[in-house]
Amino acid sequence: MKKTRQEHVIGIVAACVATLGISAANAQERFITVASTTSTEQSGLFGHLLPIFKRDTGIDVRVVALGTGQALDTGRRGDADVVFVHDKVAEEKFVAEGFGVERIEVMYNDFVLVGPKADPAKANGRDISLGLKRLADSKAAFVSRGDKSGTHAAELRYWKAAGVDLDATKGAWYRETGSGMGSALNTASAMNAYILTDRGTWLSFKNRGELAIQVEGDAKLFNQYGVMLVNPVKHPHVKRDLGQRFIDWLVSVAGQKAIADYKIGGEQLFFPNAKPPMKKAA
Amino acid sequence: MNSLTDAFVGALQLILNADATLLSIIGLSLQVSVSAVALASVLGLVLGSLIAVSRFPGRSLVIAILNATMGLPPVVIGLLVYMLLSRAGPLGSYGLLFTPTAMVIAQVILISPIIAALSRQTIEDAWRDYREQLASLGVRGVSAARTLLWDSRFSLVTITLAGLGRACAEVGAVMIVGGNIDGVTRVMTTAIALETTKGDLPLAMSLGIVLVLIVLAINILAQSLKSFAERRYG
Amino acid sequence: MVESPKMIANLLPVTVRDVSVIANQKTILRDINLEIACGTRTVILGANGAGKSTLLRVLHGLVKPSSGVATSVRGAPLGDVQLRAHDAMLFQRPVMLRTSAFNNVLYATQHLSPTKRNGDGEPQAVWEALRAVGLEGIADRPARVLSGGEQQRIAFARALVRRPEVLYLDEPTASLDPRSARQIEDCIQCAASSGVTIVMSTHHLALAKRVAESIIFLHEGRITEATPAQVFFLQPQSTEGREFLYGEAI
């Protein structure tokens, strides 16, 4: 009876040691934490890039996939070494506040307006402003991320460019879900509603239901990604060297090629556009 | 209905293929939850038995609070632990955010009140029955507490299993403090959430079925051990 | 089973002086004075709620008097934990630990003061105690699956194994069938004949007649009568005692 109790205690202690063991072992590995967006993670881009980066440098990259706003906040608190997002205005603010060292453009993808195949709002075409105008006029159901993500910020810019005053017109047809891209797409699919999404998430999204692309190819729909090292002056524990190597690699010839190589169903998702001269891979 | 059938077929395939990624996710889930339950059991049993056998002013208020904390929303606990462990938070210097340890901490906070509240009730009931007999035998304090805990062990195992079930099924807290990092902090529930947001509902459901089966297997094992021991020890 | 009669002869009587017990503003015992000589057999009688159980608990040290003093066979105040080793109590409903009958008895030896402990001889003492209650054959069975009568005898063995000088019994046969009650009575007689002081409460008058040397009669928390048993059963000295016996006769 006593012996069994001791065994219990030993078991508990062993379990605790095992748990602490995981993090201790991890601490010795070379890794950085990258706060990024659901679009890059869920489209599978990181799953493609990171093994190549690891092979080239031996560095592990841990991606926490959030909305752009949350990802920038994670960087602000110092909980990530690198932030890799897509909202130029918010990124420049992040750097101006001193939280990011420098904003470096890496690649772009594009947004698409997705809607019911029947297209009740007659939004189909190449002009996003015109498409959104028709949506607002017909009050066709539209799902918004409503989560201060890069996609949400872009969506609000497009409404503005289309001359639609959302505050005045939005009603029951305009649904703010406050959720990530995938969850919002699930909602749109269930409601058979229009939604703005990045192409990568759309291509890897499986629960499409009756939805199809209605507007694509407008130059305004291009979506620029930027990467920033979290400022080691603000957060001294930031892994400056490892983080910088990741950034350098992304804009290097090797990194840019790896981005261009990623395809789903033969379709390229992200288009590298780092400014020349491209830095050599670290 | 079709996609539900797909989900069951998918679950079966997942189990039969024993995919390495899936196994590591299951392994991490169990490691995190079992560690959390082990720690929470120690904390919860100590707290529960202390409250059960002691009398002090405001005791019923403490019990009411304890019972209420069983219903703490995991997301709130996740946020709390996030703010504590964030580099900008009081414990930031340990760099524990987005690690399995952070997930264990969050789950310990989630489960300890459950184990404490339920064991408080169990031990208090046992204490009512045993108090005079133990006092008559000159058994007091720590010895008495040990006897009570040991004699209530079967009920306490059930309580611990309830804690384990809650830990394994929880997603809100571990998502926030773990970050659902592939290969590092991705567990069954966060993987299910991820597949859901990717729109792969059958795969999400298959993972869910696998999770339920694992929890079920643990419970069946514990239940049969319990009934075996009960036959043996009464 | 017990220490030699010579040692017992040296022991003082259990004495109670002006003891009252008040719980929740209700007086349960008031102005109790009594003396119980060592080696005697005393039965406490009285109606339900008269305070019999509380008096036994005061004597055993489980209930602290609100006022007054009680001293044990060792001359120290009752309720002193060090003295708990010198007496034992059998409750109406035995509490069995979730383990074997043997371990239930062994448990009682593991919490004795070092001077009373027998070291390696403990298992031997446990076997002796089980033999004394006639249950050595079921030592390995889980205590909780035994019958009520068997459980009470295990509880008796658990009391005996502590080698008590005084044995308190609170309605030990109340929930037992006649045969089991008889077996418990045999155990009581056996313990008494080896010199253990017996103090028992019961509603079982035939049992009381067979066991008691003296009777303490309680009514509403007071002792109305403390007489030799023959006197009480032939001619109760108090009205309450007469009514109690008369009620029994009907």
Side-chain angles (χ1 to χ4, degrees):
Chain A
M1 165 164 159
K2 286 245 167 62
K3 199 175 274 176
T4 328
R5 188 188 299 280
Q6 276 168 0
E7 282 163 13
H8 275 287
V9 174
I10 291 167
I12 290 166
V13 170
C16 303
V17 170
T19 321
L20 297 176
I22 323 172
S23 37
N26 288 340
Q28 285 157 10
E29 286 170 23
R30 298 199 321 150
F31 75 89
I32 54 170
T33 305
V34 175
S36 189
T37 65
T38 46
S39 53
T40 38
E41 165 83 351
Q42 289 178 16
S43 64
L45 177 68
F46 278 127
H48 168 73
L49 289 185
L50 299 183
I52 304 176
F53 176 65
K54 164 105 190 204
R55 194 192 62 210
D56 288 359
T57 62
I59 301 169
D60 269 311
V61 178
R62 296 183 179 177
V63 178
V64 182
L66 306 157
T68 291
Q70 270 183 298
L72 287 169
D73 278 342
T74 304
R76 264 191 198 97
R77 275 190 299 264
D79 293 323
D81 304 301
V82 171
V83 181
F84 188 7
V85 291
H86 61 96
D87 183 356
K88 189 172 174 183
V89 178
E91 290 162 39
E92 281 170 346
K93 182 160 171 268
F94 182 75
V95 174
E97 288 167 351
F99 289 107
V101 175
E102 185 193 358
R103 175 177 177 270
I104 297 166
E105 298 197 334
V106 178
M107 63 187 188
Y108 67 90
N109 68 347
D110 64 337
F111 290 118
V112 292
L113 182 71
V114 166
K117 281 178 185 147
D119 193 20
K122 306 266 174 287
N124 190 284
R126 288 181 63 87
D127 187 340
I128 184 65
S129 295
L130 187 63
L132 289 181
K133 185 95 184 57
R134 287 186 177 154
L135 275 187
D137 289 346
S138 67
K139 301 216 182 313
F142 181 88
V143 170
S144 167
R145 291 275 295 275
D147 64 347
K148 296 192 173 157
S149 60
T151 308
H152 185 218
E155 179 213 311
L156 295 176
R157 277 201 306 277
Y158 298 144
W159 284 113
K160 212 172 167 189
V164 175
D165 182 1
L166 270 184
D167 290 332
T169 54
K170 80 177 169 194
W173 63 278
Y174 185 87
R175 306 286 174 91
E176 282 180 288
T177 62
S179 59
M181 193 71 255
S183 307
L185 277 170
N186 276 327
T187 308
S189 169
M191 291 171 56
N192 212 18
Y194 289 87
I195 182 171
L196 186 78
T197 170
D198 62 282
R199 189 185 293 273
T201 305
W202 171 251
L203 285 177
S204 55
F205 186 74
K206 298 215 168 79
N207 182 31
R208 293 182 186 176
E210 286 299 305
L211 300 183
I213 292 179
Q214 296 299 352
V215 179
E216 63 180 329
D218 189 330
K220 284 202 286 286
L221 287 172
F222 290 163
N223 175 36
Q224 182 65 46
Y225 281 79
V227 67
M228 289 149 290
L229 181 70
V230 175
N231 198 341
V233 178
K234 289 252 184 193
H235 293 292
H237 61 269
V238 164
K239 295 171 180 163
R240 174 207 293 256
D241 295 339
L242 298 184
Q244 191 60 50
R245 283 186 73 181
F246 180 59
I247 293 171
D248 289 346
W249 182 83
L250 281 176
V251 300
S252 72
V253 177
Q256 295 276 294
K257 181 174 182 305
I259 291 169
D261 285 346
Y262 181 59
K263 298 192 170 90
I264 294 179
E267 207 168 331
Q268 181 175 345
L269 295 190
F270 295 93
F271 301 86
N273 68 342
K275 294 207 169 57
M278 287 180 183
K279 295 180 187 173
K280 281 234 161 75
Chain B
M1 284 319 284
N2 243 348
S3 48
L4 264 184
T5 329
D6 288 352
F8 277 99
V9 172
L12 201 64
Q13 279 169 344
L14 282 176
I15 295 168
L16 292 179
N17 291 343
D19 172 61
T21 314
L22 178 68
L23 287 182
S24 75
I25 290 176
I26 293 173
L28 184 65
S29 281
L30 290 177
Q31 200 170 3
V32 167
S33 298
V34 170
S35 309
V37 168
L39 287 168
S41 298
V42 175
L43 288 175
L45 289 180
V46 168
L47 187 65
S49 44
L50 276 180
I51 297 175
V53 300
S54 55
R55 296 291 176 272
F56 52 88
R59 181 174 178 274
S60 46
L61 181 65
V62 169
I63 291 173
I65 292 172
L66 188 63
N67 288 343
T69 52
M70 284 199 286
L72 274 182
V75 177
V76 174
I77 293 169
L79 276 175
L80 175 75
V81 175
Y82 186 106
M83 293 198 290
L84 287 174
L85 297 184
S86 169
R87 291 287 179 176
L91 304 176
S93 54
Y94 296 100
L96 290 176
L97 193 65
F98 303 142
T99 64
T101 309
M103 299 158 84
V104 172
I105 293 171
Q107 292 200 337
V108 166
I109 297 176
L110 182 74
I111 306 162
S112 296
I114 298 175
I115 295 183
L118 295 178
S119 61
R120 198 272 312 163
Q121 187 66 57
T122 301
I123 293 167
E124 196 170 316
D125 292 345
W127 182 232
R128 199 168 295 132
D129 291 346
Y130 284 38
R131 196 175 55 85
E132 285 201 319
Q133 179 67 66
L134 293 185
S136 167
L137 295 174
V139 184
R140 294 183 308 155
V142 179
S143 308
R146 266 174 32 189
T147 301
L148 281 176
L149 285 173
W150 184 245
D151 253 49
S152 314
R153 59 192 179 276
F154 299 131
S155 311
L156 297 178
V157 164
T158 308
I159 290 171
T160 307
L161 283 177
L164 184 66
R166 171 111 158 139
C168 285
E170 190 283 320
V171 61
V174 294
M175 181 69 100
I176 294 174
V177 303
N180 192 23
I181 298 169
D182 190 13
V184 182
T185 57
R186 183 162 300 163
V187 291
M188 290 297 284
T189 52
T190 59
I192 292 168
L194 177 67
E195 293 308 329
T196 306
T197 59
K198 282 161 92 172
D200 199 342
L201 305 188
L203 177 56
M205 193 65 209
S206 303
L207 287 168
I209 292 168
V210 173
L211 176 61
V212 169
L213 290 178
I214 292 169
V215 173
L216 185 66
I218 293 173
N219 275 280
I220 289 174
L221 186 70
Q223 188 61 40
S224 41
L225 278 177
K226 185 181 156 180
S227 46
F228 170 77
E230 266 178 331
R231 273 198 304 279
R232 181 120 181 248
Y233 300 110
Chain C
M1 285 310 306
V2 287
E3 293 171 54
S4 68
K6 206 155 109 198
M7 278 185 69
I8 290 167
N10 293 335
L11 295 173
L12 300 167
V14 176
T15 55
V16 174
R17 295 268 168 272
D18 304 324
V19 161
S20 295
V21 173
I22 299 164
N24 298 329
Q25 286 153 356
K26 191 167 170 277
T27 304
I28 299 166
L29 291 177
R30 69 181 81 199
D31 305 327
I32 301 290
N33 285 284
L34 62 85
E35 195 162 285
I36 297 169
C38 268
T40 58
R41 306 185 300 276
T42 308
V43 170
I44 304 172
L45 293 176
N48 288 326
K52 303 188 296 295
S53 291
T54 306
L55 179 56
L56 277 170
R57 280 162 175 73
V58 168
L59 294 171
H60 189 41
L62 294 178
V63 169
K64 208 167 163 263
S66 309
S67 62
V69 268
T71 53
S72 81
V73 286
R74 298 279 169 164
L78 284 170
D80 186 326
V81 178
Q82 293 303 314
L83 289 168
R84 194 67 53 71
H86 300 289
D87 51 29
M89 185 153 174
L90 200 64
F91 297 88
Q92 180 180 340
R93 219 165 46 86
V95 176
M96 292 287 113
L97 300 178
R98 204 185 283 276
T99 179
S100 67
F102 183 88
N103 283 340
N104 263 278
V105 180
L106 185 66
Y107 180 85
T109 67
Q110 287 164 343
H111 296 276
L112 283 171
S113 60
T115 51
K116 268 248 171 180
R117 291 191 68 162
N118 209 351
D120 299 338
E122 273 169 15
Q124 197 50 46
V126 171
W127 282 118
E128 277 173 31
L130 284 171
R131 205 167 299 133
V133 299
L135 287 181
E136 72 270 38
I138 57 162
D140 291 336
R141 303 255 316 268
R144 293 247 177 132
V145 305
L146 300 178
S147 72
E150 286 167 332
Q151 289 194 14
Q152 189 64 299
R153 278 148 77 196
I154 294 295
F156 204 102
R158 192 160 61 188
L160 283 183
V161 81
R162 295 167 66 83
R163 299 163 190 272
E165 284 139 10
V166 186
L167 180 58
Y168 299 102
L169 305 101
D170 186 11
E171 305 194 22
T173 60
S175 47
L176 302 183
D177 61 48
R179 184 163 165 273
S180 301
R182 187 77 215 182
Q183 285 164 330
I184 288 293
E185 186 181 339
D186 291 346
C187 294
I188 297 170
Q189 297 288 11
C190 176
S193 67
S194 63
V196 179
T197 310
I198 301 287
V199 184
M200 172 172 74
S201 76
T202 185
H203 284 303
H204 190 164
L205 282 185
L207 172 68
K209 271 183 192 159
R210 289 193 293 271
V211 171
E213 286 176 293
S214 49
I215 295 288
I216 293 171
F217 187 79
L218 277 177
H219 180 74
E220 290 175 356
R222 287 177 200 275
I223 294 180
T224 59
E225 214 171 328
T227 46
Q230 312 93 299
V231 177
F232 181 84
F233 287 112
L234 280 174
Q235 189 158 28
Q237 303 295 293
S238 63
T239 353
E240 293 84 4
R242 275 195 297 277
E243 279 171 6
F244 180 80
L245 283 180
Y246 183 66
E248 169 79 7
I250 291 171

